């Protein structure tokens, strides 16, 4: 069902805690590297979009989603067609009874006219796509790379994200990369 949806309309967002990765943790401490990864995963083609911070907060989740939706808008995508689902974490306004202007939920809904939906409570597989990419990036990147500075980290993670989205073949998606799938499903949509 997810793969059949129009490209760049449905996304899952979650936070990956980087402080519990044994190989990365000493490098993180020694080099002042990020502690948290904010991940958006596109459901039709499987592309990933990443942002980093040193704290888990609504502010950083909001900055990440704002930057992401602005990127889509700059490349001619209609943000009103976008739905972003998250868990009920406080960083995603999951504990909020009244949404605040400039907060996570209203940034999506009012600023971009996109939709924000929460996963159903007690349904751990609702975020399966983004959790899958978290497992992949830990094995392929955080457990495999050595970093000597934050500049080195950001250069390598940018390269990894580009490789993942443009060239990495995914066995669960017919051994095609997100860019391959996008070219088939929406050939007029820029891979940028």
């Amino acid at each position: 069902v997810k793969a059949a949806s129009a490209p760049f309309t449905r996304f899952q967002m979650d936070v990956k805690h980087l402080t519990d990765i044994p190989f990365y943790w000493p490098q993180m401490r020694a080099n002042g590297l990020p502690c948290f990864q904010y991940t958006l995963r596109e459901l039709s083609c499987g592309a990933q979009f990443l942002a980093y911070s040193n704290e888990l907060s609504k502010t950083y989740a909001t900055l990440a989603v704002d930057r992401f939706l602005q990127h889509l808008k700059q490349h001619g995508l209609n943000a009103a067609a976008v739905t972003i689902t998250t868990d009920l974490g406080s960083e995603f306004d999951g504990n909020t009874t009244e949404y605040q202007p400039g907060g996570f939920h209203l940034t999506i809904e009012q600023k971009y006219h996109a939709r924000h939906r929460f996963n159903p409570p007690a349904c751990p597989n609702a975020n399966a796509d983004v959790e899958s990419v978290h497992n992949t990036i830990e094995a392929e990147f955080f457990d495999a790379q050595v970093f000597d500075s934050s500049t080195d980290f950001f250069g390598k993670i940018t390269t990894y994200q580009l490789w993942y989205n443009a060239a990495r073949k995914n066995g669960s998606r017919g051994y095609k990369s997100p860019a391959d799938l996008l070219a088939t499903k929406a050939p007029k949509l820029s891979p940028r």
Side-chain angles (χ1 to χ4, degrees), residues 1-6 10 43-44 185:
V1 171
K2 294 174 202 172
S5 63
R10 296 181 62 206
L43 300 184
S44 177
K185 294 179 176 191

Side-chain angles (χ1 to χ4, degrees), residues 64-78:
V65 81
D66 184 45
R67 183 173 153 203
F68 169 72
L69 289 169
Q70 185 62 36
H71 174 77
L72 295 184
K73 188 177 171 184
Q74 286 174 340
H75 290 284
L77 283 117
N78 178 12

Side-chain angles (χ1 to χ4, degrees), residues 128-149:
D129 278 79
V130 74
E131 294 296 350
S132 173
V133 82
H134 282 173
N135 185 57
T136 300
I137 198 169
E138 185 169 335
E140 291 181 350
F141 184 75
F142 289 103
D143 282 343
Q145 295 294 318
V146 175
F147 311 104
D148 58 24
S149 67

